[in-house]
Amino acid sequence: MKKLINKPDAVVTEALHGIAAAHADLVNVHFNPNIIVRADAPVQGKVGLVSGGGSGHEPMHGGFVGPGMLDAACPGEVFTSPTPDQMLDATKAVNGGAGVLHIVKNYTGDVMNFEMAADLGQSEGIEVEAVVIDDDVAVQDSLYTAGRRGVGTTVLAEKICGAAAEERQSLSEVAELCRKVNANGRSMGMALTSCIVPAAGKPTFDLGEDEIEIGIGIHGEPGRERVKLAPAAEIVERLTRPILEDLPFEKGDQVLAFVNGMGGTPLLELYVVYNDLNRLLGEHGITITRNLIGPYITSLEMAGCSITLLKLDDELTRLWDAPVKTAGLRWAA
Amino acid sequence: MKKLINKPDAVVTEALHGIAAAHADLVNVHFNPNIIVRADAPVQGKVGLVSGGGSGHEPMHGGFVGPGMLDAACPGEVFTSPTPDQMLDATKAVNGGAGVLHIVKNYTGDVMNFEMAADLGQSEGIEVEAVVIDDDVAVQDSLYTAGRRGVGTTVLAEKICGAAAEERQSLSEVAELCRKVNANGRSMGMALTSCIVPAAGKPTFDLGEDEIEIGIGIHGEPGRERVKLAPAAEIVERLTRPILEDLPFEKGDQVLAFVNGMGGTPLLELYVVYNDLNRLLGEHGITITRNLIGPYITSLEMAGCSITLLKLDDELTRLWDAPVKTAGLRWAA
Amino acid sequence: MAGVAAIESAPEHRMSVAYDDVLRWIRKFAAEVEANKESLTQLDAAIGDGDHGINMQRGMSAVVAKLDAQAGDQDVGALLKTVGMTLVSTVGGAGGPLYGTLFLQMGTAASGKGELSPDDWAGALEAGIAGVENRGKAEPGDKTMIDALVPGRDALKAALGGGATFADALRQSAAAAEQGMRDTVPLVARKGRASYLGERSAGHQDPGATSSHLLLEAAAETWGESE
Amino acid sequence: MAGVAAIESAPEHRMSVAYDDVLRWIRKFAAEVEANKESLTQLDAAIGDGDHGINMQRGMSAVVAKLDAQAGDQDVGALLKTVGMTLVSTVGGAGGPLYGTLFLQMGTAASGKGELSPDDWAGALEAGIAGVENRGKAEPGDKTMIDALVPGRDALKAALGGGATFADALRQSAAAAEQGMRDTVPLVARKGRASYLGERSAGHQDPGATSSHLLLEAAAETWGESE
Ligand SMILES: Nc1ncnc2c1ncn2[C@@H]1O[C@H](COP(=O)(O)OP(=O)(O)O)[C@@H](O)[C@H]1O
Ligand SMILES: Nc1ncnc2c1ncn2[C@@H]1O[C@H](COP(=O)(O)OP(=O)(O)O)[C@@H](O)[C@H]1O
Ligand SMILES: [Mg+2]
Ligand SMILES: [Mg+2]
Ligand SMILES: [Mg+2]
Ligand SMILES: [Mg+2]
């Protein structure tokens, strides 16, 4: 294992110290339990947005704390859901009297820990709602599974709901909006190489020199199928077709196209992917009106990408365009 | 070779089509010769800023074209300097009557091609100045070498000079500023793994499972020494000490610290590095007053990082803070 | 790691477990988790995200550190709750809330008790498992820790009901958990991260069932040893 | 790839090279670059950035495409300038301006000529090399293409001055370039990307010197063949 770290089990703590030192203008980092909180939290009268999950997906979620996006993030150990005490502390820290929304990625661990935290928060008199993001079409959605994983749409939901909260929309409105984003977003990812969890010290999975994994999860969970390496255009097709069919996306739709790097893939290649995606959607009569290209929801050093499409309307577009000021996403009006 | 590409020799062109489709609000992409030009170029009365170099370092330089930074970028083939006709076209496209500054990284190829382009530009009546960035302390600076390579300081120079040009500083002022940034910036990089040039199809160099290369170049050029994998804190020390001694940076200095990812290193690790750097500089009485952390001048999928320190004064700080709106760097006042 | 020098009471047939016995069981489980960290993680890498061993080890070493630091008040229920709280706040993932709930509910069932009779133990285990079922909504056959715990519980109760000694009952409980653990191999996961794999989850042993077997086996080894 | 079916003039001692001969030399060089693309790239990977073969191949295949597309006007100077311009705008890196300048300056020296005498060839080569020296500021011993070109030029002039046939002079020129190329192995680079390596550049053959040897060898093989 080759990594720029000191001790495998100190990675998260040391990175949090780095974040604290680097972004003191945007966030405060609390330790034990670990949370990253917007510097001016709690913002009175604003719904507080809390998300969190295992570390190793940076900039998500800690890099999305700041005006226009999250109020707090709870970083777990690498690829491991954070614990209820973190979420409870975050909830208390960002409660400005308008309630707190938990944006939860659909993994059993995340869901259960956030449930425990919500119970604890409620019992301390804070109004808490939770929305679970489950946008990964690689996974069968069925009563007989834990349902779909939460992936790329999470980033978009955090941005869009952050803007709505900034507009002082109510907790139920922001939660409803979050469900709407989730309902209109679909994703699928693929890996060229495995990631290496520092504490494990070796690749989570093995892929042959000419194999790729289609439908990979952001923790290196195996995907739909393992196939031979193929040209980017073919891979884009394999990822996009299930996404289009699932919602379904239709001719005339306007979408936000999010081409996400898994961590180890050069930006140059993501633009090649974007080019193929743009052409493919054009063939289907779907127009990309907004885009996001880069490593935003990563899986450590995994090489690969994911594609997320979000069907836009005027409301979602307006909220996407609204100003945001975080370490990971930043723009003005 | 596992890459998200279609054909190795079409990578740059396809990525440029992707950039054109994604960032039409910011840039226009011209093909044959390939240039990326600010959408509203030429800006009348403003010094035009042109940079360029081999592709594979994204977001540099194409991702830095836009208000507050570059007016045009010339993307060469992967890791290969662009050609004078690209630079000439770019120079003409951004000439708003106040002259054009070429920001050139110190590589023999880049320098010679930009020289030829400057001659051609002058002969077409455009006032052209060139500043060569050579900030890489890994390389001996001597009359008997091609001098130091241009690396991380390039990004900072493009941002800072872009702000000065936006303020309508004159060509000689912007050029002088660029030399000042270069004079006050020092960098050094390291690699954990090699990059793979698509057209070559295999790693540029081999590193053992427990080896790292200290002083690596951004094209995978071998560095100062090959050593055993070490903890991040030790690597930071090895990169930072030569930087500090070279300028030298001194107790009481305020610096911009730029921890750059080479392309394949997770952001989580860059924050671990930043934490170690912040502590080390603190021990030397040097204060980080601005920072930049992430993959900005990359080397395809190489894992590793580089550290750049830029000694700041009020002028540089003000220009760094000035608004910028590009695909790769973006903030408001 | 067996830890505390507990004076062995060593009855021919053990009729109860005292506070210190429970402590030794917890420490034994921590040692087993430590020893099996790698293999639990490997099992999880095959059908999950490769952290179950790491997570459980982080949690149980925090538990041991906590127990080392605080003097117990001889209340088995309080002890088990402390274990549960510590797991909840250190493990994370699915394992944290599930094992945390298991111990918390066992603690509630054992509240105020200075020692546990065989029936107390069976009752605590039953309460703990009910908590896990309630939290995770898994049923037997879903390829989860439930598949080791439920047979372990049932065998314990059946053995005690049939007049077995406590030590025997514990061994039968551990053996049933082991069988349940092995029986997860062919199952298709329907809960947790492994369920994302669908049919591809078959052919692998569930990591949570494996750690749950270690838990019941630790009880059998710690409390059944002296017969 | 030897290309165009030029009618072989085949004199016992060739006294000049015609336009078509120059064309054949260019095509031969292109073919050699193609055949040696891998090895040139490997040499560059050792002390540079691993693209010299790729760059030269891209450039020379553009040259061939250009020459295929446009009918020549029998002006050797114009032909060489076209080659130079094409290289400048397709190769990039250090190789582009250097090889571009080499051909541009050769073209200027041969301007308006329909064929080249041996002395014309020597003069053109001399002018081209002067252009390379002027552009790159390298001196012999700096471990660059200059280290193949200069001995090649000197041997050519010495042979012609000593009364050798053109074919012999070309062969001696190529042999000297080859020796110069080999002699770059122990050198420490002082120009170009390899100079960043300092002492670590010693022990490797310079890629540019290697492609320059191919260039002069292509001349010897193309023009010396028919004796
Ligand atoms: N809903 C559930 N009910 C009971 N046990 C579950 C459930 N989901 C997962 N598990 C158990 O948790 C184990 C995985 O734990 P762990 O790896 O620590 O968490 P994570 O899946 O979050 O990484 C599985 O092997 C399974 O036994
Ligand atoms: N200043 C120079 N003068 C002459 N030749 C040079 C000079 N710098 C580099 N070269 C030659 O260029 C070769 C490298 O060319 P190439 O790999 O195409 O360019 P780059 O170094 O830009 O990748 C070297 O092997 C060397 O022979
Ligand atoms: Mg996990
Ligand atoms: Mg090059
Ligand atoms: Mg797991
Ligand atoms: Mg090269």
Side-chain angles (χ1 to χ4, degrees):
Chain A
M1 172 180 57
K2 278 173 150 184
K3 285 182 182 284
L4 286 168
I5 62 174
N6 292 299
K7 281 178 301 177
D9 41 0
V11 173
V12 172
T13 310
E14 292 185 16
L16 286 174
H17 280 289
I19 289 170
H23 305 302
D25 53 329
L26 292 171
V27 300
N28 291 321
V29 179
H30 304 192
F31 293 89
N32 290 316
N34 298 341
I35 53 176
I36 300 174
V37 183
R38 190 173 147 167
D40 57 352
V43 181
Q44 287 309 319
K46 189 181 93 64
V47 169
L49 253 61
V50 173
S51 191
S55 294
H57 307 300
E58 291 67 27
M60 187 185 81
H61 300 274
F64 298 144
V65 176
M69 214 159 165
L70 296 178
D71 293 85
C74 307
E77 284 300 314
V78 173
F79 290 176
T80 299
S81 160
T83 57
D85 50 333
Q86 292 173 267
M87 297 154 183
L88 177 63
D89 275 18
T91 302
K92 290 198 254 179
V94 307
N95 175 34
V100 176
L101 180 68
H102 289 177
I103 301 181
V104 184
K105 300 195 298 305
N106 189 34
Y107 300 94
T108 303
D110 294 65
V111 170
M112 290 192 301
N113 283 286
F114 266 106
E115 268 170 19
M116 292 180 93
D119 292 351
L120 294 168
Q122 305 277 18
S123 74
E124 300 210 15
I126 305 175
E127 204 188 344
V128 177
E129 273 220 54
V131 175
V132 175
I133 305 289
D134 57 347
D135 61 319
D136 187 344
V137 300
V139 170
Q140 289 301 328
D141 187 14
S142 125
L143 282 178
Y144 304 106
T145 68
R148 288 180 161 168
R149 300 175 294 220
V151 287
T153 299
T154 315
V155 176
L156 311 183
E158 292 176 2
K159 166 67 188 80
I160 288 169
C161 295
E166 218 66 57
E167 285 182 353
R168 299 298 186 273
Q169 292 192 22
S170 70
L171 177 58
S172 63
E173 286 168 328
V174 180
E176 187 51 39
L177 177 69
C178 195
R179 282 185 285 268
K180 174 177 164 181
V181 172
N182 185 50
N184 285 285
R186 294 291 186 279
S187 302
M188 185 143 138
M190 58 79 58
L192 293 158
T193 62
S194 177
C195 47
I196 303 177
V197 175
K202 49 189 171 190
T204 305
F205 56 94
D206 291 310
L207 273 178
E209 202 18 73
D210 60 345
E211 285 179 330
I212 60 176
E213 182 86 25
I214 300 282
I216 193 82
I218 55 170
H219 313 89
E221 306 98 314
R224 275 197 176 191
E225 47 177 357
R226 186 163 289 196
V227 301
K228 290 273 168 239
L229 180 63
E234 203 177 307
I235 292 171
V236 167
E237 171 104 34
R238 282 188 112 100
L239 297 181
T240 308
R241 194 166 294 280
I243 290 175
L244 294 180
E245 285 168 0
D246 194 88
L247 192 66
F249 289 87
E250 284 161 353
K251 201 170 142 93
D253 280 350
Q254 302 203 327
V255 300
L256 186 161
F258 172 23
V259 172
N260 174 61
M262 288 296 192
T265 281
L267 191 53
L268 186 70
E269 296 178 25
L270 296 183
Y271 279 109
V272 170
V273 167
Y274 185 81
N275 184 45
D276 288 322
L277 177 63
N278 184 49
R279 179 167 38 209
L280 181 70
L281 292 183
E283 286 165 16
H284 284 78
I286 296 166
T287 311
I288 303 178
T289 54
R290 293 293 183 278
N291 65 72
L292 182 67
I293 303 166
Y296 292 100
I297 165 172
T298 61
S299 184
L300 293 171
E301 66 274 81
M302 187 189 282
C305 73
S306 63
I307 290 174
T308 299
L309 298 182
L310 171 66
K311 191 169 183 164
L312 290 175
D313 60 14
D314 289 349
E315 180 194 26
L316 297 184
T317 304
R318 175 178 61 80
L319 293 167
W320 176 257
D321 288 344
V324 58
K325 188 175 178 186
T326 68
L329 270 191
R330 193 165 165 177
W331 57 75
Chain B
M1 172 180 57
K2 279 176 152 181
K3 285 183 183 285
L4 286 168
I5 63 175
N6 291 298
K7 281 177 300 176
D9 42 0
V11 174
V12 172
T13 310
E14 293 185 15
L16 287 174
H17 280 289
I19 289 170
H23 305 302
D25 54 328
L26 291 171
V27 300
N28 291 321
V29 179
H30 305 192
F31 292 89
N32 290 317
N34 298 342
I35 54 175
I36 300 173
V37 183
R38 193 174 144 165
D40 58 350
V43 182
Q44 288 309 319
K46 188 183 93 65
V47 170
L49 252 63
V50 173
S51 191
S55 293
H57 306 301
E58 290 67 28
M60 188 185 81
H61 300 273
F64 298 144
V65 176
M69 215 160 164
L70 296 178
D71 292 84
C74 307
E77 286 299 316
V78 173
F79 290 176
T80 299
S81 161
T83 57
D85 50 333
Q86 292 174 266
M87 297 153 184
L88 177 62
D89 276 17
T91 302
K92 290 199 257 181
V94 308
N95 176 32
V100 175
L101 179 69
H102 289 177
I103 300 181
V104 184
K105 299 195 298 306
N106 189 36
Y107 301 94
T108 303
D110 294 65
V111 170
M112 290 191 302
N113 283 289
F114 266 106
E115 268 171 20
M116 293 180 93
D119 292 352
L120 295 167
Q122 305 277 15
S123 74
E124 300 208 16
I126 305 175
E127 203 187 347
V128 177
E129 273 220 56
V131 175
V132 175
I133 305 290
D134 57 346
D135 61 319
D136 188 345
V137 300
V139 170
Q140 288 301 327
D141 187 12
S142 129
L143 283 176
Y144 304 107
T145 69
R148 287 179 163 166
R149 300 176 293 220
V151 287
T153 299
T154 315
V155 176
L156 312 183
E158 292 176 1
K159 166 66 188 80
I160 288 169
C161 294
E166 217 66 57
E167 285 182 353
R168 299 298 187 272
Q169 292 192 24
S170 71
L171 178 57
S172 63
E173 286 169 326
V174 180
E176 186 52 36
L177 177 69
C178 196
R179 282 185 284 269
K180 174 177 163 181
V181 172
N182 186 48
N184 286 286
R186 294 292 186 279
S187 301
M188 187 144 140
M190 60 78 59
L192 293 159
T193 63
S194 178
C195 46
I196 302 177
V197 176
K202 49 188 170 186
T204 305
F205 56 93
D206 292 309
L207 273 179
E209 202 18 73
D210 61 345
E211 285 179 331
I212 59 176
E213 183 86 26
I214 299 282
I216 194 80
I218 54 170
H219 312 89
E221 306 98 312
R224 277 197 174 189
E225 48 176 357
R226 187 163 289 196
V227 300
K228 289 273 168 241
L229 180 62
E234 204 178 308
I235 291 171
V236 167
E237 171 105 33
R238 282 188 111 102
L239 297 180
T240 308
R241 194 166 293 278
I243 290 175
L244 294 181
E245 284 167 1
D246 194 87
L247 192 66
F249 289 86
E250 284 161 351
K251 200 171 143 95
D253 280 351
Q254 302 204 327
V255 300
L256 187 162
F258 172 23
V259 172
N260 175 61
M262 287 296 192
T265 281
L267 191 52
L268 186 70
E269 295 178 26
L270 296 184
Y271 279 109
V272 171
V273 166
Y274 184 81
N275 184 44
D276 288 323
L277 176 63
N278 184 49
R279 180 167 37 208
L280 182 70
L281 292 183
E283 286 164 17
H284 284 79
I286 296 165
T287 312
I288 304 178
T289 55
R290 292 295 182 277
N291 65 73
L292 183 67
I293 303 166
Y296 292 100
I297 165 170
T298 61
S299 184
L300 293 170
E301 67 274 80
M302 187 190 282
C305 73
S306 63
I307 290 174
T308 298
L309 297 183
L310 171 65
K311 192 169 180 162
L312 290 174
D313 60 14
D314 290 349
E315 180 194 25
L316 297 184
T317 304
R318 176 178 60 79
L319 293 167
W320 175 258
D321 288 345
V324 59
K325 189 175 178 187
T326 68
L329 269 191
R330 190 163 169 178
W331 57 75
Chain C
M1 288 259 338
V4 179
I7 307 302
E8 200 48 70
S9 52
E12 255 306 91
H13 297 289
R14 178 194 286 277
M15 293 309 294
S16 70
V17 289
Y19 181 89
D20 283 347
D21 295 320
V22 176
L23 213 52
R24 283 192 301 129
W25 165 57
I26 302 292
R27 290 179 187 278
K28 171 75 175 168
F29 178 51
E32 287 300 322
V33 164
E34 183 82 46
N36 289 279
K37 179 180 166 186
E38 279 289 313
S39 61
L40 290 171
T41 296
Q42 275 313 103
L43 289 174
D44 196 32
I47 54 171
D49 58 352
D51 63 2
H52 187 61
I54 300 163
N55 292 347
M56 292 302 293
Q57 190 275 337
R58 184 175 57 250
M60 289 309 297
S61 73
V63 164
V64 168
K66 185 97 173 192
L67 298 181
D68 284 347
Q70 76 175 30
D73 56 1
Q74 303 294 320
D75 178 340
V76 171
L79 170 62
L80 292 171
K81 279 188 203 162
T82 298
V83 173
M85 282 304 295
T86 306
L87 291 177
V88 165
S89 63
T90 57
V91 175
L98 292 168
Y99 275 101
T101 300
L102 180 76
F103 279 98
L104 283 171
Q105 294 302 325
M106 289 177 82
T108 303
S111 201
K113 296 202 157 80
E115 60 173 27
L116 302 182
S117 69
D119 284 344
D120 288 341
W121 167 246
L125 190 59
E126 184 147 28
I129 292 171
V132 172
E133 288 172 328
N134 196 38
R135 169 84 39 223
K137 307 282 180 299
E139 293 173 9
D142 285 353
K143 196 177 182 107
T144 69
M145 54 195 283
I146 286 295
D147 291 316
L149 291 173
V150 163
R153 174 199 65 191
D154 292 348
L156 179 81
K157 285 168 65 180
L160 291 176
T165 64
F166 191 24
D168 260 343
L170 288 168
R171 274 193 294 267
Q172 287 177 40
S173 170
E178 180 168 6
Q179 189 56 49
M181 166 190 94
R182 291 196 199 293
D183 289 346
T184 63
V185 173
L187 296 176
V188 172
R190 285 190 296 230
K191 279 284 178 289
R193 205 176 286 283
S195 75
Y196 300 137
L197 283 185
E199 301 292 329
R200 287 169 79 186
S201 63
H204 300 276
Q205 183 169 307
D206 181 61
T210 310
S211 55
S212 286
H213 163 246
L214 292 179
L215 183 77
L216 297 187
E217 193 183 50
E221 289 186 2
T222 311
W223 301 332
E225 74 211 354
S226 51
E227 250 187 349
Chain D
M1 289 253 344
V4 176
I7 307 302
E8 200 50 65
S9 53
E12 258 305 271
H13 297 288
R14 179 196 284 278
M15 295 305 294
S16 70
V17 289
Y19 180 89
D20 283 347
D21 296 322
V22 176
L23 215 50
R24 284 193 301 127
W25 166 56
I26 303 292
R27 290 180 186 279
K28 172 74 176 170
F29 178 50
E32 288 299 324
V33 164
E34 183 81 45
N36 290 279
K37 179 180 166 184
E38 278 288 313
S39 62
L40 290 172
T41 296
Q42 277 311 106
L43 290 174
D44 196 32
I47 55 172
D49 58 351
D51 63 1
H52 187 60
I54 300 162
N55 292 347
M56 292 303 293
Q57 190 275 338
R58 182 175 58 248
M60 289 309 298
S61 73
V63 164
V64 168
K66 186 100 176 189
L67 297 180
D68 285 347
Q70 77 176 29
D73 57 0
Q74 303 296 319
D75 177 339
V76 172
L79 171 61
L80 293 171
K81 280 187 202 162
T82 299
V83 173
M85 283 302 296
T86 306
L87 292 176
V88 165
S89 64
T90 57
V91 176
L98 292 168
Y99 274 100
T101 300
L102 180 78
F103 278 97
L104 283 171
Q105 294 303 321
M106 289 177 81
T108 303
S111 200
K113 295 200 159 74
E115 60 172 25
L116 302 181
S117 70
D119 283 344
D120 288 342
W121 168 246
L125 191 59
E126 185 146 27
I129 291 170
V132 172
E133 288 172 328
N134 196 38
R135 168 86 37 224
K137 307 280 179 302
E139 293 172 11
D142 284 354
K143 197 179 184 107
T144 70
M145 53 193 285
I146 286 295
D147 291 317
L149 291 174
V150 163
R153 173 199 67 190
D154 292 349
L156 180 81
K157 285 167 65 179
L160 291 176
T165 64
F166 191 24
D168 258 345
L170 288 167
R171 274 191 293 269
Q172 287 178 40
S173 171
E178 181 168 7
Q179 189 57 48
M181 166 190 93
R182 291 196 199 291
D183 289 346
T184 63
V185 173
L187 296 176
V188 172
R190 284 190 296 229
K191 280 283 178 291
R193 204 176 286 282
S195 75
Y196 301 136
L197 282 186
E199 302 291 330
R200 288 169 80 185
S201 63
H204 300 275
Q205 184 170 306
D206 180 60
T210 309
S211 55
S212 285
H213 163 247
L214 292 178
L215 183 76
L216 296 187
E217 194 183 49
E221 288 187 2
T222 311
W223 302 331
E225 74 208 355
S226 51
E227 252 191 339

